[in-house]
Every structure is written in C-alpha cells, then in structure tokens.
Amino acid sequence: MKSRRKFIEKVAISTAGLSLVGWNSPNYLMHLHNPASKEPKLKVALMGLGSYANRVAKAMQQCNKAIITGLISGTPEKLETWGEKYNVPKESRYNYENFDAIASNPNIDAVYIITPNALHHGQTIRVAKAGKHVICEKPMAISAQEGKEMVDACKKAGVKLLVGYRMHFEPNTLEVVNMRKQGDFGKIDFFQGLSGFNIGDPNQWRLDKALAGGGALVDIGIYSINGARYMVGEEPIWVTAQETKTNPEKFKEGVDETIQFQLGFPSGAVASCLSTYAMNNLDKFFLNGAKGFAQLHPATGYGPIKGSTHLKALTEDHTPQQTLQMDAMADILLKGTEPAIPVNGEEGLKDLKIIEAIYKAVDQSKKITLTL
Ligand code: NAD
C-alpha cells in the first residue's frame, strides 16, 4: 500500500514537472498568471543562488503576484537543482557570462540581484542594458558614486530600480509609520536603533572589504540608518560617529566592527544608533515623541516583528516578509503603485550617502553635514 502511494506520488510529481517544461508550452504560460485575478505575475530571475536567495525563493512560493522564472548562477549544479525545484525551464537558466541574453527572454520582467555587495553595481547596469527591471539587495552598492551610476543607468534604460528593503512592507513597521503620520506620537524628538550580531567565519566575503565595501555598517547598521529615516519621517542633515575595534585581526582595515553614530534632523529630532558585528541581541528600534512612543523588538529580523506603543500592542499577523515584499514589488513594477515607504534606487542612494558620511565622521572625528 505504502509503495503504491509512493509510486502514485512520484508519477504525479513528474507529470506536474513535465507539464510545465518549455517556456512556450501552454501550461507554462498559464502558470505565469495569477489564477484568481488572471493577471500576469511579475516574472523574476534570481541572480546569486546563496543563502538569502534561498530564503527569497522559498518565500516566493507563497506569492500571488510574483514568480521565479529565471536563474543566474556561476554553479551549473545549482542551476540544475534550483531549476527543477522551482520549475524554471532550461532556456531561462543563465551564468554570469551569458546573462545579457535575458534581453530576448519574454519570460523575465525583472532580475533580483542577491550577490555580494561589490557586484551589485556592474550587475545592475548589465541588467538595465538588457531592458529588465532591477531589484537589488542592500546595500545597493559600495559607494554613493556607484549608486548614482546605477540610478542613472536604470533611468537611461527606461527600467525601474528597487532595493530589497523588506521592512518597508512589514505590517507592524507600517503601523508605527502610519501612527507617526497621524500624529499619535506628537512631535518626534528621538530615535534609537540598535543593529548587530556576532559574525562567525572570519573568511566570509562579508569581512572582505573588496567584496563587502565595509563592515557591519553596510551590512547590518544600514537597518538603523534606513529605520531612522522611515521612523522619524525626515532626512538627516548631519552625522557624528565613533568607532571601536576589539579584534583588528578579524576586522581588518576598512571593515568596521562597531560604530556608534548619531543623526540630526531638520525638526531638531536626533537619532542615536549602534552598528556591530561583535555583539548579539541587538535588533531594537525605539521612537519617542512629545505625546508617546513606539518600540519594535525585534525590529528588523525575519520576524515575527514584535512591539508596542503607548497606545497599544502591535499585533499584526506575520507573513514571510519576502512574500509581502515581492507581491508589493510586482504591483510597483507592473502597475506603478507607490509603496508607503519608498524602495527605489534614490532611497538606496540616500542610505549610501549617509554611510559615507558616517565613515567620514569616524575618520575626521567631527560632525559631517549632509545634503541628501
Ligand atoms: P551568500 O554568500 O550566501 O550568497 C552570495 C551568492 O553570490 C552565492 O551563491 C555566491 O556563489 C554568489 N557569488 C557570485 N559571485 C560571487 C563572488 N565573486 N564572490 C562570492 N560570491 C559570489 O550571501 P547572502 O547572505 O545571500 O548575501 C547576498 C546579498 O544579499 C548581499 O548583498 C547581502 O547584503 C544581501 N542580504 C540581504 C538580506 C535581507 O534581509 N535583505 C539578508 C541577507 C543578505
């Protein structure tokens, strides 16, 4: 009985697989539409099949509006196994040498770049030249200059550039932003952001300046930078910053271990933040205003995000953040909708400018003025 059931299951699985094979087969084309609305889904190629791409791919299985239709990897075995797992036809699997050919693939609308930070710039420009939208992981690039070139290249090619800021679609975060906009906290005077974890393997690319572009600040501190902006609702006009390094062997020149930084906003509000690769349990936001407060703890992990305000507990349901992000990005790219908190290239570029100002403030031990 057991083996018969196994046999039936096997036949069912292989038939389902077979029925989708080939990018022009009617079944495959049907699979690219939302069965409920019949509208086309956002057809996404994932570039860089590492650990975060794995999380994105799994979460995308629950998307109604976005679907994985392409894969780009330097490892042929990954293209094979991921291709079978996610029903991506052979014609839509590429490597880093030949992916410019996506230009003639009608089943790819956008490429989601999930590679080490230093590669984002060149890859974004190639995808834009191929005429496809770009979703790029954070940090968008390793310098503001690169970021600007990416924004310009996408504009020139007439494609959109989005950054993988998943918190911009997280319901408890959005509730705090909504309450702030409604005036529930009164005039905002203070934000605290704590972002960090104890990083392991000293040989990983995140600790290699050439591939990472920095250290904890560009990788995890960016959540406090970006969070300060959407929680306070203003753009900073100055930064000050201080660095400490307890392990210069692991955190080499140009790879920051711990930085504390402060941001000043036009209204007079200030932010005080910590970015580190050398402490655990740091994922917390606190927003204070004249009439009340909000706290999120954890604030930027994969969820569930938890928190409260002076008025209520924050109890929005948890759905994988990448599912919400990709469905929302489908609407942005296919229908031109505007998210409550922007996720475009300009938004990513602002964070890069703040990162550079923080490094400059550390180097020069002085307050740096910012114009975003
Ligand atoms: P990872 O090391 O697990 O994966 C990176 C992938 O890129 C690997 O498959 C690797 O083979 C590939 N790659 C291609 N060219 C490479 C090269 N020259 N050197 C090294 N690897 C190369 O890393 P990850 O954790 O998946 O991070 C990838 C990107 O995603 C980074 O920009 C990171 O900041 C971002 N990220 C974002 C989140 C988020 O929550 N938004 C979480 C994790 C990572």
Side-chain angles (χ1 to χ4, degrees):
M1 188 63 192
K2 221 174 171 187
S3 63
R4 186 165 179 269
R5 194 182 307 140
K6 271 212 161 125
F7 173 72
I8 293 171
E9 274 171 11
K10 246 184 164 171
V11 170
I13 289 166
S14 63
T15 318
L18 267 180
S19 64
L20 294 177
V21 162
W23 66 354
N24 285 323
S25 79
N27 279 339
Y28 186 69
L29 295 176
M30 207 163 76
H31 167 74
L32 305 181
H33 287 74
N34 183 341
S37 68
K38 308 275 181 255
E39 288 180 359
K41 293 182 183 175
L42 178 72
K43 303 185 285 276
V44 181
L46 299 181
M47 177 188 289
L49 307 181
S51 73
Y52 192 61
N54 197 30
R55 186 176 287 274
V56 169
K58 279 194 188 134
M60 282 185 71
Q61 302 316 297
Q62 291 180 54
C63 281
N64 293 318
K65 301 178 180 178
I67 184 168
I68 303 169
T69 56
L71 296 169
I72 302 163
S73 168
T75 314
E77 299 78 41
K78 280 193 194 168
L79 288 174
E80 184 80 26
T81 51
W82 284 57
E84 277 173 26
K85 187 169 177 186
Y86 296 113
N87 260 314
V88 174
K90 285 201 166 57
E91 302 93 313
S92 299
R93 302 177 197 168
Y94 302 86
N95 59 41
Y96 292 106
E97 283 72 48
N98 67 14
F99 77 77
D100 309 86
I102 57 171
S104 59
N105 188 331
N107 289 333
I108 295 175
D109 298 320
V111 176
Y112 194 163
I113 298 175
I114 320 183
T115 53
N117 310 340
L119 307 178
H120 297 173
H121 170 255
Q123 289 166 342
T124 293
I125 291 171
R126 277 174 73 185
V127 171
K129 280 191 180 150
K132 307 293 179 177
H133 299 302
V134 181
I135 303 169
C136 180
E137 255 317 314
K138 46 58 58 179
M140 189 171 96
I142 60 168
S143 71
Q145 176 61 34
E146 280 193 0
K148 182 162 185 329
E149 287 167 12
M150 290 157 73
V151 169
D152 290 347
C154 289
K155 259 194 202 134
K156 191 171 167 206
V159 299
K160 287 186 179 152
L161 169 59
L162 307 181
V163 185
Y165 286 133
R166 57 188 162 75
M167 303 320 299
H168 293 204
F169 308 99
E170 194 283 316
N172 283 318
T173 304
L174 288 173
E175 179 56 15
V176 174
V177 170
N178 194 34
M179 288 177 72
R180 189 251 303 146
K181 285 183 181 167
Q182 279 173 201
D184 289 345
F185 308 122
K187 184 182 175 308
I188 301 298
D189 47 37
F190 179 70
F191 171 78
Q192 183 188 40
L194 308 177
S195 301
F197 64 95
N198 233 321
I199 198 161
D201 179 10
N203 298 316
Q204 60 187 292
W205 67 259
R206 280 185 168 76
L207 298 177
D208 174 355
K209 163 118 169 106
L211 279 173
L217 188 67
V218 300
D219 185 46
I220 189 77
I222 193 171
Y223 286 97
S224 275
I225 295 172
N226 190 251
R229 296 175 47 233
Y230 62 68
M231 296 285 275
V232 173
E234 294 179 57
E235 301 301 356
I237 50 173
W238 58 257
V239 310
T240 48
Q242 310 78 36
E243 179 175 17
T244 51
K245 199 174 271 198
T246 61
N247 188 346
E249 216 172 289
K250 185 169 179 180
F251 305 102
K252 301 203 165 52
E253 182 67 30
V255 179
D256 50 286
E257 177 188 316
T258 300
I259 292 182
Q260 297 185 65
F261 59 91
Q262 301 77 38
L263 307 171
F265 298 89
S267 66
V270 287
S272 173
C273 304
L274 175 69
S275 157
T276 183
Y277 264 162
M279 302 173 206
N280 278 335
N281 313 312
L282 286 173
D283 180 11
K284 197 171 177 183
F285 283 0
F286 178 75
L287 182 72
N288 197 45
K291 281 167 44 182
F293 67 88
Q295 53 196 355
L296 294 169
H297 184 210
T300 65
Y302 295 134
I305 298 303
K306 294 188 176 148
S308 60
T309 72
H310 64 299
L311 295 175
K312 62 182 187 184
L314 295 166
T315 54
E316 298 293 329
D317 283 348
H318 174 69
T319 303
Q321 292 160 7
Q322 298 80 5
T323 308
L324 299 175
Q325 173 197 324
M326 293 309 289
D327 271 343
M329 287 187 167
D331 282 342
I332 296 170
L333 294 177
L334 297 178
K335 297 184 177 170
T337 57
E338 293 287 344
I341 314 172
V343 282
N344 53 30
E346 284 81 0
E347 175 80 5
L349 179 54
K350 285 178 184 169
D351 288 337
L352 296 178
K353 287 181 178 170
I354 298 170
I355 286 170
E356 282 188 353
I358 292 172
Y359 284 140
K360 201 168 165 188
V362 166
D363 284 349
Q364 301 184 1
S365 302
K366 67 173 199 199
K367 193 180 204 177
I368 301 295
T369 305
L370 263 173
T371 325
L372 296 185

